[in-house]
Amino acid sequence: MGKIISVANQKGGVGKTTTAINLSASIALSGKKVLLIDMDPQANASSGLGIEAESRGVYELLVGDATQNEVIWSTEIETLKIIPSRVDLTGAEIELVNKPSREKILATALNGVREEYEFVVIDCPPSLGLLTLNALALSSSVLIPMQCEYYALQGLSHLLKTLKLVKKSINPDLVVEGILLTMYDSRTLLASQVKEQVQKYFSDFLLKTIIPRNVRLSEAPSHGKPIMLYAGRSRGADAYVELAKEIITRSKSDERINPSMNKGSVE
């Protein structure tokens, strides 16, 4: 049975799409079958893997114009597939709002996906709207990328409270995969202080892997490649390989974090 991980944070610019792309690619390069689902209308995960902007994908799936097999695309990595997004997805929330069980349309459309893939990674939009709710309804767990800055720390408490509500009302099996510190610069005092605060208040959630601030990570999407194919010997590539190992190990040992989602709070 495959594991479905939503990469989510209501705040933009935290490395969410970068994490979705490179975690998916790193797991796939380990030999496992992986599906990346781009739920963000900005379609950055799609373009970051070289998929053309007008490709059929999540939008057609949600509105019932295509089946699962009709919207899955291949990538440069043989074991990595993608269901792409495009700007039309912006209107999907309006089109779906009056449909019954609207927050579970994606789960219904992708029924059986756990049997086909060992890992499914979903890149959520930077909001907690209907598209993100559809992703969370399908998911086993939530991976939360967090930039090492003060405002990100404030938003983290709110996000965890929201996930607790989702767990209660939509998906009782949903757990927090972990908090991933991103864009970490050890030379700055702020980064170290934010790390200490997360360790203090959210230690049950914090992953061991930390993603450093790295120029190669920023360059890779413009080439339509994950960091492992663009700059495989960079610090960014090394970090995402380590993250993939950590996620795979946690999956094998079934040691997912499953706290009550309200262990820590930041005032």
Side-chain angles (χ1 to χ4, degrees):
M1 187 71 76
K3 185 174 187 178
I4 303 178
I5 304 172
S6 275
V7 183
N9 194 321
Q10 82 276 19
K11 188 178 186 302
V14 298
K16 179 181 55 62
T17 298
T18 297
T19 294
I21 291 172
N22 293 305
L23 174 61
S24 300
S26 294
I27 295 176
L29 286 169
S30 75
K32 299 187 180 300
K33 290 185 65 177
V34 182
L35 175 66
L36 174 60
I37 303 175
D38 188 354
M39 289 291 289
D40 190 341
Q42 296 178 81
N44 290 332
S46 303
S47 62
L49 286 178
I51 304 299
E52 295 181 3
E54 295 305 312
S55 300
R56 286 163 60 85
V58 172
Y59 174 78
E60 286 76 14
L61 197 63
L62 289 174
V63 300
D65 286 348
T67 64
Q68 174 183 324
N69 291 334
E70 292 173 327
V71 296
I72 293 178
W73 296 73
S74 298
T75 71
E76 283 190 68
I77 301 172
E78 184 177 355
T79 52
L80 176 61
K81 307 296 183 182
I82 182 173
I83 298 180
S85 176
R86 66 172 193 257
V87 70
D88 289 2
L89 191 57
T90 303
E93 291 190 279
I94 298 173
E95 294 181 54
L96 300 178
V97 72
N98 292 320
K99 291 196 174 184
S101 301
R102 57 185 180 270
E103 73 280 356
K104 295 186 177 181
I105 293 173
L106 182 67
T108 300
L110 293 178
N111 182 36
V113 73
R114 295 175 190 268
E115 284 72 42
E116 294 186 42
Y117 296 90
E118 293 170 88
F119 286 88
V120 178
V121 177
I122 307 176
D123 183 29
C124 298
S127 69
L128 296 173
L130 190 53
L131 293 175
T132 298
L133 286 179
N134 266 268
L136 297 178
L138 175 64
S139 297
S140 315
S141 63
V142 185
L143 175 62
I144 306 171
M146 180 188 151
Q147 187 177 358
C148 293
E149 63 174 35
Y150 177 70
Y151 288 118
L153 190 61
Q154 284 188 317
L156 182 56
S157 181
H158 174 68
L159 177 59
L160 291 172
K161 289 177 182 177
T162 301
L163 292 177
K164 185 182 178 183
L165 293 174
V166 171
K167 181 180 176 73
K168 182 178 180 180
S169 60
I170 298 176
N171 182 359
D173 297 324
L174 185 68
V175 300
V176 176
E177 188 68 35
I179 296 168
L180 175 69
L181 296 181
T182 62
M183 305 180 201
Y184 184 79
D185 188 345
S186 59
R187 299 170 298 178
T188 67
L189 179 60
L190 178 60
S192 299
Q193 289 175 335
V194 170
K195 178 183 175 183
E196 289 174 3
Q197 289 295 303
V198 176
Q199 289 173 329
K200 179 179 179 180
Y201 291 103
F202 304 101
S203 59
D204 287 339
F205 299 100
L206 187 60
L207 293 171
K208 295 177 182 178
T209 304
I210 296 177
I211 308 301
R213 186 174 293 278
N214 181 251
V215 174
R216 295 300 189 190
L217 279 174
S218 301
E219 294 173 347
S222 65
H223 295 268
K225 295 178 181 291
I227 188 63
M228 285 65 63
L229 299 186
Y230 173 69
R233 295 184 178 181
S234 64
R235 291 173 61 235
D238 291 342
Y240 276 108
V241 169
E242 287 303 311
L243 176 63
K245 290 178 181 177
E246 185 173 357
I247 296 296
I248 292 170
T249 299
R250 290 159 63 85
S251 179
K252 285 180 179 178
S253 60
D254 197 28
E255 291 179 352
R256 292 180 303 176
I257 298 170
N258 194 6
S260 62
M261 292 192 184
N262 63 352
K263 297 268 296 186
S265 62
V266 178
E267 300 298 337

